Amino acid sequence: MYGTPRLRSAFPVTPQSQAKGRRSQNGRVIKLQDSPPVTNTQASFVPVRNDDSTTPTIPLHVLDAPTQRFYVSAIYLAYNAWKFYEYLQLVSDQTDSLWLFLKWGFVDGVFFFGLPALRIPWLEWAYSTSMMVFFIHSVLDAILMFRIMPPWEVWGLYLLKLIWDRELAISERNVNPASILHNSSLILGKQIIHILPEGLALLNPDGLPFCLDASKPSIDLPIFLNQTTPIGIDLLRFDLDTNANETIAISAKEVQKILKHAVKEVDWKDGASARTIKFPVKRTGLYRLQRVLDESKLEVQRRLSDTLVVNCPTASIKSVPQNKCRGALSDFYIQVNATPPLKIKYSKTVNREDQGTVFMNIHPPDLVSPLAQQRTSGALIKLDEGPGIDVTWARTQQMSISLNETLGVSGGWRYSIDEVHDACGNVANFSSLQDLRPQRSGQSEPTEQIFTVHEWPRVALEGCSSQQPLKVAKGRSARLPLRLSSTVTGRPAADQHSISYLFTPQDELVLSGEHASGSQVELVMISNSRSYVEISEPGLYTLQSVSTEFCTGDVMEPSSCLLMNPPEPDMAISVENITDKCAGNSIGLSLDLDLVGTPPFKISYTEQRKGGRLDPKVETISQLRYHKEFIPSEAGHYTYEFLDISDAVYDIQSLKSKGFKYDQDVKPPGSARFWNPRPVRKACTDEVVSFDIKFSGQAPWTLEYDLVRGAKRKKHKIEDIESEVLTLTTERLSEGGEYLISLTSVTDGSGCKIPLKEEAKIEVRHQKPKASFGLLDGKRTTLTLEDKKIKLPLKLSGEPPWTIHYRRNQDSVATNMKTILKYSNDHLDVHAPGTYELVDVSDATCPGVIESSAGTFEVVWIGRPSLSIVKSSSIELQNDRYVKQAVCEADQDSFEVSMTGNPPYHGRYEIQVRPEHGAPHSNFREFSAGLGSASVGMETSQTGHYQYIFTELGDQLYDHDRHKFRALKVSQIVHSRPYASFDNNGKTYSYCREEESGDEFIPMTLKGEPPFYLEIAIRHHATTRPEIVKVPHIDKPHYNFHIPHKVLGLGTHSVTIFKVRDSRGCERQNESGGPVVHVNVAEIPTIAPLESATDYCVGDYINYALSGTPPFNVYYTFQGATHKASTSTTSFRRISDKPGDFTITAISDKASTDTCRSKTGITKVIHELPSVRLSKGKTAEIDIHEGGEADILVEFSGTPPFEYTYTRSTNAAKGKKPIVLETKHDVSNEYAKLIKASDEGTYEVISIRDKYCGFSTQEVQAKSGKKLLTL
């Protein structure tokens, strides 16, 4: 009923009064019993639950509990913010403070005592809680309103000291006092004594593995002995092959020999309690330490431990064939001789890429070995099991391990045995037999297996099949078109291929085209892909198989090839004459050819005219029947002879035996045609056109032709033409348009008239081409910038391209030029001024005319800008440059320049500087001017020679052109201002008051042109007005300024240079920040120690009191070195971090500085803290028998006598605190002491004290008034 509605963003659920279950840490629900109501006297912050009034004053359905708490928090923060604001505004500490304290105390009381009355969940405080909170706020109100400031600075310094605790030491370096006072290296070392049993013997204490082989026929068994010297040792050995046991007795003489040998190998001291001896064995077996007798002939305690000595593991690979096909199994064995269970590590490499290592654990199926089981002791067998002790599990066994992997990648594979681990832990390493392992005489078997994996071969035929037979001439052979390849890569293997194929002769094939039953199989060998198989007999060839030396492959399709012998080429000819119908003469020969063979055919024949040369020809025919006609164009006796024939299979076959030779007398009919005709002939107006006419037939000829233009036709006739070629020339064609010349007929010498259809076309131009200049901005003249390219417009008529000849007239000089243009509205590109005149024009075919009214064009250039120097009285022209009057450094100066052109102007000039000091340099500046003149400011900030070079100038129309602009130069010298400085600027000259006699001087240096005028200001620190001392004439650059005695008094003086001037009139005046030195006249300071002691220890503080004017400089010597220390207070304190003699030699203060040091000789002796080393400063452990003694060496450093305290504590286990058993005190007058100890425990020194100083690792009372430092 007291629950508060909980929103997603609300506070946690309001605590309830009734008992509820809560979950414990282990997850169980614990029921809480109902408790009686809580009274107001209970502890604070316990929610109040009154049975009569538990409901909040403001109902929760009106304002939920989280919102009520939010409003209360906001009110609390708001009025506290106002309280802090009034604290910041507080001025008076009396009336205002009391009033504000009472006001805010009342507000706090109303808030904290009224809050429980609202009964807001979680804020229902008890009365005691309200009272406590009100009291805390009242204290804070008093602190704020009465301005009671806590010691923040003290607290801050204390916190800083906790974080950064550093103090100045005598060596003038910051040291941590704790590192000096708590130096744990002063007491080092501890001695741990263990009481051992009477004696102990242990075989092979480290559990090392042992094995024997040909390279290691003997091993040494280690026997650990502690607190005993044996005189006899018995070893029990079990044979691994027969299970028989024997006892190996080592006599006292042999034991002594072994002990002496062990002493030579290891540097043992006399009386050492623990040692290890080694007994050599040469046989395998299981060894156990059976009995050990010491010098008292008593049996020494033995710790049960068995040691196996076995044969060293060996391994080899049973080699198998090294060549495999891809996809085959590796199928090889590893032969191992070792004691199982064992582990084999081998590696695999494929194509020289490491494939990693593989571990194999080998455990025979029926093997039961204690080496593979968990053991609680070192014993491997139990003697109490009966007489039949079985150790055959430790025998060396021979095992064959099969490795059967798929060789899926072609190339080189390599398996190698790296290591073999037997059950005892012996390892045989085969990975680097040559370098890391001695050569074993018995290890001759291979330890690696190498495979060469080959691809499967493939074979197919290419370009031949049963449907596409291979045609070969009779008696010839051809290559069987084999295509060799392989799987995966597709490239043929480099090995020799063996190919078998089935052959059936052509006449034995069955009707379906397949092989007959009696077909024979042929086998051929191919060494590489460039080899081939020759076949010549016609028939069907089918591939059967393909194989290499190691792999048998597949036969791919196509696998069959049909070889055929087609018939030889031959032909038959039918001949018929061709006769002229008009004259009845023979004009040609017609032939019909019937061919036999394989197309295409090539037929060679000759054609010869009587009296002419023999003309050989070749005719290519792609069909079996062909028609050919011979119709010569000229009369005569012709002979035709067919020589040979060839087809696609057979080479040339002669036809001369066939008699294919034909003769004929030919008289061709008359004809005429245009010689080298063109589709259209073009002509200009009033031009004649000529044509060449070629005649054939019997001369003489008569030619008739028509000249046609439009609807007009004019006939022409030419008779008695004897020449075979006639040049036909037309009349002058004065009218433009299209003309046609048509050859109508020709009559030859036989009188036969033959009609003709030959025509030629002529196109005559209607107009002549013309050329004229166009307009630019409505005129044929233009203004342009210098060197700017101008396009002069041209108007052209005619057919492109046009050839224009023109000239440029400039200054009575004419220049002829020529250009070719392509467009009717084109332009001339010109870039020079003058009057351009067109001379003549011609287009693609005809010459033209120039329009006289538009035949010229004028081009004028606009002038470029120029610059000049305006002359004045301070500038004059000397040679090729202007010289400006010299000025002093930092004086302002300028000169005027004048410009002509088209404003605004822009330019650039270079300032070259050769300073008096430093390397020459230059810089560029740009300027702009809207008018024709400008002022140029001159650079005077640095002394030297200046030269102003105007290098660039441009205006509104022109950019700068370095080839057409002449640079102007103006030079000026800037003199440096004189400078005066003190040789030791900033130095303070100190003089003792009693030494003040006569005038003092300060060395100075002056720069400039002598003589100099100088003014120096001297001001005492107690006055504001300086004294000015004038020096009118100084001839040298070095000057010693004598300080007048009347201006110096007790205290500090500032001496500054007020003004300096040289002979050039250049002056420098220093207002502030100029050269300054100080003169101090002071009293002598003093120093006195605060302690009367002269002997101190490292870590002590040494204190002195100073008198004078801070800060002070203290001069002292320490360890032969001179030091200087500064302090701003009247006390001087240092911590002693090193031993030595500390002597104060002098002191100076702010007023006296180093010139008036107070000489003194206060000496303090600092002694080193004593130190002690127990057991050479190390932690040493020693084992003794009960009743024995051990010597503990204690070494001291310091000044005798030494007093020290040491303790004996328990030998605590790691992580536990030891318990102190006893504490002893002793004195030594020497630097070393030997302590006898017979009790078990840890011995360590806790305090040390010598004649002067002491140190302790724990709080120990200091005695005899001597100092004791404690940790």
Side-chain angles (χ1 to χ4, degrees):
M1 63 183 293
Y2 301 103
T4 301
R6 189 175 186 189
L7 302 177
R8 181 175 298 179
S9 60
F11 291 100
V13 178
T14 303
Q16 306 299 315
S17 60
Q18 56 263 51
K20 294 184 179 181
R22 62 179 177 88
R23 188 170 298 276
S24 64
Q25 294 181 354
N26 57 12
R28 294 181 300 171
V29 176
I30 302 173
K31 294 296 183 179
L32 301 179
Q33 299 297 327
D34 293 340
S35 59
V38 181
T39 62
N40 292 338
T41 59
Q42 289 180 316
S44 60
F45 295 98
V46 177
V48 179
R49 295 295 181 217
N50 296 326
D51 295 337
D52 56 347
S53 58
T54 57
T55 304
T57 304
I58 302 175
L60 296 179
H61 67 273
V62 176
L63 199 63
D64 59 11
T67 306
Q68 293 185 36
R69 288 192 290 267
F70 172 75
Y71 288 148
V72 169
S73 300
I75 293 172
Y76 174 76
L77 294 175
Y79 88 76
N80 275 283
W82 182 256
K83 181 195 300 183
F84 189 72
Y85 171 76
E86 289 195 345
Y87 158 73
L88 295 176
Q89 300 298 322
L90 188 62
V91 177
S92 174
D93 290 338
Q94 298 176 358
T95 306
D96 292 342
S97 297
L98 180 60
W99 157 246
L100 291 175
F101 170 70
L102 295 175
K103 182 181 75 172
W104 289 114
F106 173 77
V107 173
D108 288 335
V110 171
F111 181 81
F112 292 110
F113 289 106
L115 184 59
L118 297 176
R119 295 190 295 276
I120 300 174
W122 288 25
L123 297 178
E124 300 174 84
W125 296 341
Y127 178 79
S128 58
T129 304
S130 300
M131 180 61 72
M132 182 181 65
V133 176
F134 172 71
F135 175 75
I136 294 173
H137 280 71
S138 297
V139 173
L140 294 176
D141 291 342
I143 291 174
L144 291 174
M145 301 311 158
F146 290 106
R147 305 179 68 86
I148 302 173
M149 298 301 296
W152 304 111
E153 184 176 356
V154 176
W155 295 350
L157 291 176
Y158 179 75
L159 181 61
L160 180 63
K161 189 171 183 62
L162 290 178
I163 299 173
W164 179 260
D165 187 12
R166 294 290 186 272
E167 293 195 26
L168 276 174
I170 294 176
S171 57
E172 290 303 316
R173 62 188 182 94
N174 286 313
V175 297
N176 186 359
S179 64
I180 301 175
L181 299 176
H182 304 164
N183 188 0
S184 59
S185 64
L186 297 176
I187 299 178
L188 293 176
K190 63 173 66 175
Q191 180 70 57
I192 302 175
I193 298 177
H194 297 283
I195 302 296
L196 297 178
E198 297 209 354
L200 177 66
L202 177 63
L203 179 65
N204 192 13
D206 297 327
L208 301 175
F210 297 100
C211 67
L212 299 174
D213 61 3
S215 64
K216 189 167 58 175
S218 174
I219 58 97
D220 294 330
L221 280 181
I223 303 174
F224 174 74
L225 303 173
N226 187 31
Q227 295 294 332
T228 185
T229 301
I231 61 172
I233 300 175
D234 290 343
L235 287 176
L236 183 62
R237 173 184 173 272
F238 290 87
D239 191 272
L240 302 181
D241 296 326
T242 63
N243 289 329
N245 64 76
E246 63 174 331
T247 300
I248 303 173
I250 306 174
S251 64
K253 185 177 180 180
E254 291 177 322
V255 170
Q256 291 298 323
K257 185 178 179 181
I258 294 172
L259 287 173
K260 289 181 181 180
H261 183 70
V263 170
K264 291 180 181 179
E265 290 187 352
V266 182
D267 186 15
W268 276 327
K269 294 184 177 179
D270 294 339
S273 60
R275 67 188 70 187
T276 300
I277 63 174
K278 295 181 180 180
F279 177 69
V281 296
K282 298 181 179 180
R283 292 182 297 170
T284 61
L286 187 147
Y287 290 84
R288 174 177 288 185
L289 194 62
Q290 187 175 19
R291 188 178 65 164
V292 178
L293 295 178
D294 62 4
E295 293 175 337
S296 59
K297 297 185 179 181
L298 297 177
E299 190 170 341
V300 179
Q301 179 183 355
R302 293 170 290 107
R303 187 175 297 171
L304 195 59
S305 176
D306 294 337
T307 299
L308 272 175
V309 179
V310 298
N311 292 321
C312 293
T314 60
S316 62
I317 291 179
K318 298 179 93 176
S319 297
V320 297
Q322 296 186 356
N323 291 281
K324 299 276 187 177
C325 296
R326 188 179 62 83
L329 298 176
S330 56
D331 194 20
F332 69 96
Y333 293 88
I334 298 177
Q335 190 82 30
V336 181
N337 295 313
T339 300
L342 52 91
K343 181 169 64 175
I344 300 175
K345 175 185 176 183
Y346 70 92
S347 60
K348 180 173 64 175
T349 303
V350 179
N351 292 329
R352 297 185 179 181
E353 292 185 3
D354 188 10
Q355 303 296 316
T357 58
V358 181
F359 289 89
M360 288 195 306
N361 294 313
I362 309 300
H363 193 290
D366 299 329
L367 176 68
V368 178
S369 172
L371 296 175
Q373 301 172 357
Q374 291 186 349
R375 293 177 288 147
T376 58
S377 66
L380 295 175
I381 58 174
K382 296 180 181 180
L383 298 180
D384 55 358
E385 291 181 350
I389 301 299
D390 184 14
V391 293
T392 56
W393 47 264
R395 294 176 184 172
T396 299
Q397 298 187 20
Q398 184 175 5
M399 289 167 282
S400 295
I401 296 96
S402 173
L403 284 182
N404 219 9
E405 294 184 353
T406 300
L407 307 176
V409 178
S410 60
W413 289 60
R414 177 177 176 268
Y415 293 87
S416 59
I417 304 174
D418 295 335
E419 295 175 356
V420 175
H421 302 245
D422 66 4
C424 301
N426 297 297
V427 179
N429 192 335
F430 305 96
S431 59
S432 54
L433 291 174
Q434 300 298 327
D435 301 329
L436 303 180
R437 179 175 60 85
Q439 294 292 335
R440 301 175 183 262
S441 60
Q443 184 66 42
S444 60
E445 297 293 332
T447 59
E448 63 180 26
Q449 175 68 49
I450 298 176
F451 292 110
T452 301
V453 180
H454 305 272
E455 293 287 348
W456 299 93
R458 287 179 175 176
V459 67
L461 295 174
E462 187 175 25
C464 180
S465 65
S466 300
Q467 290 73 29
Q468 295 179 349
L470 186 64
K471 297 179 180 181
V472 181
K474 294 179 181 179
R476 298 288 184 90
S477 63
R479 294 181 181 181
L480 188 63
L482 298 175
R483 184 178 76 249
L484 297 174
S485 62
S486 62
T487 57
V488 182
T489 61
R491 296 189 299 272
D495 303 329
Q496 187 177 26
H497 289 70
S498 174
I499 300 174
S500 64
Y501 61 90
L502 184 65
F503 171 69
T504 300
Q506 187 175 2
D507 53 358
E508 296 180 8
L509 292 174
V510 298
L511 295 177
S512 60
E514 298 295 333
H515 289 280
S517 59
S519 301
Q520 56 184 355
V521 178
E522 300 288 341
L523 181 66
V524 295
M525 304 298 293
I526 297 179
S527 59
N528 52 55
S529 60
R530 292 186 294 273
S531 301
Y532 54 89
V533 178
E534 289 282 351
I535 56 176
S536 59
E537 188 173 354
L540 182 62
Y541 295 81
T542 301
L543 299 176
Q544 296 293 308
S545 64
V546 61
S547 63
T548 60
E549 182 180 359
F550 309 105
C551 302
T552 300
D554 298 330
V555 175
M556 312 301 289
E557 292 296 331
S559 60
S560 296
C561 180
L562 180 62
L563 178 65
M564 299 177 60
N565 293 140
E568 296 180 357
D570 197 1
M571 71 175 182
I573 302 176
S574 299
V575 182
E576 184 179 351
N577 286 326
I578 302 174
T579 306
D580 183 11
K581 296 179 180 180
C582 175
N585 297 327
S586 177
I587 62 173
L589 196 65
S590 175
L591 293 88
D592 291 322
L593 283 71
D594 294 319
L595 302 169
V596 177
T598 305
F601 302 92
K602 288 186 178 180
I603 301 174
S604 300
Y605 65 95
T606 59
E607 178 181 349
Q608 186 177 17
R609 181 185 178 189
K610 187 176 181 179
R613 63 183 182 85
L614 186 67
D615 186 11
K617 294 183 180 180
V618 177
E619 189 80 20
T620 300
I621 303 171
S622 59
Q623 53 196 14
L624 297 177
R625 184 171 179 79
Y626 185 67
H627 178 76
K628 177 70 176 176
E629 291 184 351
F630 295 103
I631 303 177
S633 60
E634 298 179 358
H637 180 79
Y638 289 86
T639 301
Y640 306 98
E641 182 179 8
F642 292 88
L643 304 176
D644 54 56
I645 184 174
S646 64
D647 62 1
V649 176
Y650 291 90
D651 292 335
I652 298 173
Q653 304 289 324
S654 176
L655 297 175
K656 291 185 178 180
S657 61
K658 301 286 185 179
F660 295 145
K661 185 175 182 181
Y662 306 98
D663 295 320
Q664 183 185 31
D665 291 324
V666 176
K667 293 182 180 180
S671 66
R673 58 187 176 86
F674 289 103
W675 186 263
N676 296 327
R678 283 182 281 177
V680 178
R681 294 286 295 272
K682 294 184 177 182
C684 300
T685 306
D686 296 332
E687 185 180 9
V688 296
V689 181
S690 297
F691 295 93
D692 290 334
I693 308 299
K694 173 69 175 177
F695 294 93
S696 64
Q698 187 177 355
W701 296 275
T702 299
L703 177 65
E704 295 181 0
Y705 68 94
D706 295 341
L707 180 61
V708 182
R709 180 183 182 275
K712 298 180 180 179
R713 179 182 294 270
K714 187 176 182 180
K715 294 183 178 295
H716 297 80
K717 185 176 181 179
I718 303 175
E719 297 179 345
D720 299 328
I721 301 172
E722 297 291 340
S723 176
E724 292 183 354
V725 179
L726 171 69
T727 299
L728 177 64
T729 303
T730 67
E731 60 190 27
R732 189 174 295 277
L733 307 176
S734 58
E735 297 181 5
E738 185 177 276
Y739 290 79
L740 187 68
I741 295 180
S742 176
L743 302 182
T744 58
S745 65
V746 62
T747 303
D748 61 1
S750 62
C752 291
K753 186 175 182 179
I754 298 97
L756 299 175
K757 297 181 180 180
E758 293 283 332
E759 292 182 350
K761 187 183 292 186
I762 304 173
E763 290 185 356
V764 180
R765 297 275 295 276
H766 293 277
Q767 292 182 345
K768 292 184 178 181
K770 295 181 181 179
S772 64
F773 281 113
L775 300 177
L776 274 181
D777 298 330
K779 53 186 178 180
R780 291 185 180 89
T781 180
T782 183
L783 289 173
T784 183
L785 299 179
E786 184 177 341
D787 293 331
K788 183 178 180 181
K789 188 175 182 180
I790 300 297
K791 297 180 182 294
L792 302 182
L794 280 178
K795 295 180 180 181
L796 304 172
S797 63
E799 295 182 1
W802 290 270
T803 301
I804 306 294
H805 292 83
Y806 64 98
R807 70 169 64 96
R808 182 175 70 92
N809 300 313
Q810 177 70 15
D811 299 331
S812 301
V813 177
T815 303
N816 294 318
M817 287 167 279
K818 173 185 175 183
T819 185
I820 297 175
L821 304 177
K822 299 179 180 179
Y823 306 102
S824 58
N825 291 293
D826 217 320
H827 57 270
L828 283 179
D829 292 331
V830 300
H831 51 78
T835 300
Y836 291 84
E837 179 183 1
L838 298 177
V839 178
D840 61 58
V841 61
S842 60
D843 64 359
T845 55
C846 303
V849 295
I850 304 297
E851 292 187 11
S852 59
S853 60
T856 59
F857 204 108
E858 184 179 7
V859 178
V860 180
W861 277 359
I862 301 173
R864 302 185 67 87
S866 63
L867 182 142
S868 62
I869 304 298
V870 178
K871 295 183 179 180
S872 65
S873 59
S874 61
I875 190 170
E876 61 180 3
L877 181 64
Q878 296 181 3
N879 296 329
D880 60 342
R881 72 185 62 193
Y882 291 89
V883 179
K884 193 78 167 61
Q885 187 176 354
V887 295
C888 294
E889 181 184 2
D891 287 348
Q892 294 184 356
D893 198 6
S894 63
F895 61 91
E896 300 289 331
V897 294
S898 176
M899 291 160 284
T900 60
N902 298 277
Y905 304 94
H906 56 273
R908 190 183 190 195
Y909 62 93
E910 179 186 5
I911 304 177
Q912 296 180 352
V913 184
R914 294 201 307 272
E916 289 185 358
H917 306 285
H921 61 275
S922 63
N923 60 80
F924 290 88
R925 295 184 180 178
E926 297 181 353
F927 67 90
S928 298
L931 300 175
S933 61
S935 177
V936 179
M938 307 190 77
E939 181 66 40
T940 60
S941 60
Q942 187 179 10
T943 61
H945 183 272
Y946 289 79
Q947 182 167 261
Y948 301 82
I949 304 175
F950 289 87
T951 57
E952 296 181 10
L953 179 65
D955 60 4
Q956 184 182 10
L957 299 179
Y958 286 97
D959 292 331
H960 170 72
D961 190 339
R962 60 187 181 89
H963 300 290
K964 299 181 179 180
F965 179 76
R966 181 175 175 272
L968 291 180
K969 300 180 181 179
V970 179
S971 61
Q972 185 183 42
I973 297 176
V974 177
H975 296 303
S976 62
R977 292 185 181 273
Y979 179 76
S981 64
F982 298 106
D983 290 355
N984 299 308
N985 189 38
K987 180 179 178 181
T988 299
Y989 294 87
S990 298
Y991 306 103
C992 300
R993 186 172 185 180
E994 61 273 11
E995 295 176 359
E996 184 181 342
S997 59
D999 294 342
E1000 306 299 338
F1001 67 87
I1002 300 174
M1004 302 178 61
T1005 300
L1006 297 94
K1007 296 181 181 179
E1009 191 69 24
F1012 300 95
Y1013 172 80
L1014 188 65
E1015 292 184 5
I1016 297 177
I1018 302 174
R1019 185 180 64 83
H1020 192 272
H1021 69 89
T1023 62
T1024 57
R1025 185 174 180 180
E1027 293 283 345
I1028 302 298
V1029 178
K1030 299 180 179 180
V1031 184
H1033 192 86
I1034 302 174
D1035 294 329
K1036 298 180 179 179
H1038 297 284
Y1039 177 68
N1040 292 328
F1041 174 63
H1042 290 266
I1043 304 174
H1045 179 71
K1046 60 182 179 178
V1047 300
L1048 293 178
L1050 187 63
T1052 303
H1053 304 75
S1054 297
V1055 181
T1056 59
I1057 300 173
F1058 180 69
K1059 182 187 298 184
V1060 61
R1061 184 170 63 245
D1062 65 357
S1063 61
R1064 296 193 187 104
C1066 296
E1067 181 180 286
R1068 184 187 300 273
Q1069 184 172 347
N1070 298 318
E1071 296 295 338
S1072 62
V1076 61
V1077 294
H1078 302 281
V1079 177
N1080 184 29
V1081 180
E1083 298 285 353
I1084 298 178
T1086 60
I1087 184 172
L1090 294 181
E1091 298 96 358
S1092 59
T1094 58
D1095 292 315
Y1096 289 81
C1097 298
V1098 171
D1100 288 346
Y1101 288 93
I1102 305 176
N1103 300 285
Y1104 296 90
L1106 310 176
S1107 65
T1109 304
F1112 297 91
N1113 289 331
V1114 180
Y1115 302 86
Y1116 63 90
T1117 59
F1118 181 67
Q1119 292 184 340
T1122 302
H1123 297 271
K1124 175 183 177 182
S1126 300
T1127 177
S1128 59
T1129 63
T1130 58
S1131 64
F1132 178 68
R1133 172 178 171 171
R1134 289 294 184 270
I1135 187 172
S1136 54
D1137 59 334
K1138 296 179 182 179
D1141 293 340
F1142 176 68
T1143 302
I1144 303 292
T1145 58
I1147 181 176
S1148 64
D1149 62 358
K1150 179 180 179 181
S1152 61
T1153 65
D1154 295 343
T1155 57
C1156 296
R1157 298 181 186 177
S1158 174
K1159 305 297 188 295
T1160 183
I1162 305 173
T1163 301
K1164 306 288 184 180
V1165 180
I1166 302 172
H1167 300 277
E1168 179 66 276
L1169 293 176
S1171 64
V1172 60
R1173 300 289 185 271
L1174 191 144
S1175 299
K1176 299 294 183 180
K1178 300 179 180 179
T1179 299
E1181 295 189 22
I1182 189 171
D1183 300 327
I1184 63 175
H1185 284 292
E1186 188 73 31
E1189 284 186 342
D1191 293 333
I1192 302 175
L1193 178 63
V1194 184
E1195 299 172 303
F1196 308 97
S1197 67
T1199 305
F1202 300 99
E1203 298 181 21
Y1204 63 98
T1205 303
Y1206 65 94
T1207 63
R1208 180 176 69 87
S1209 57
T1210 59
N1211 296 332
K1214 186 176 181 181
K1216 295 185 178 181
K1217 187 175 182 181
I1219 300 174
V1220 177
L1221 300 176
E1222 60 178 329
T1223 302
K1224 293 185 178 182
H1225 186 76
D1226 200 358
V1227 178
S1228 175
N1229 293 316
E1230 303 296 333
Y1231 287 96
K1233 189 168 185 177
L1234 203 62
I1235 302 174
K1236 298 288 185 179
S1238 59
D1239 295 327
E1240 185 177 46
T1242 300
Y1243 294 80
E1244 53 186 332
V1245 178
I1246 62 172
S1247 68
I1248 178 66
R1249 184 168 61 247
D1250 67 352
K1251 182 178 180 181
Y1252 299 103
C1253 307
F1255 179 79
S1256 175
T1257 58
Q1258 62 183 12
E1259 294 187 0
V1260 178
Q1261 294 286 336
K1263 299 180 180 181
S1264 304
K1266 295 186 178 181
K1267 299 179 181 179
L1268 182 65
L1269 299 179
T1270 62
L1271 286 177

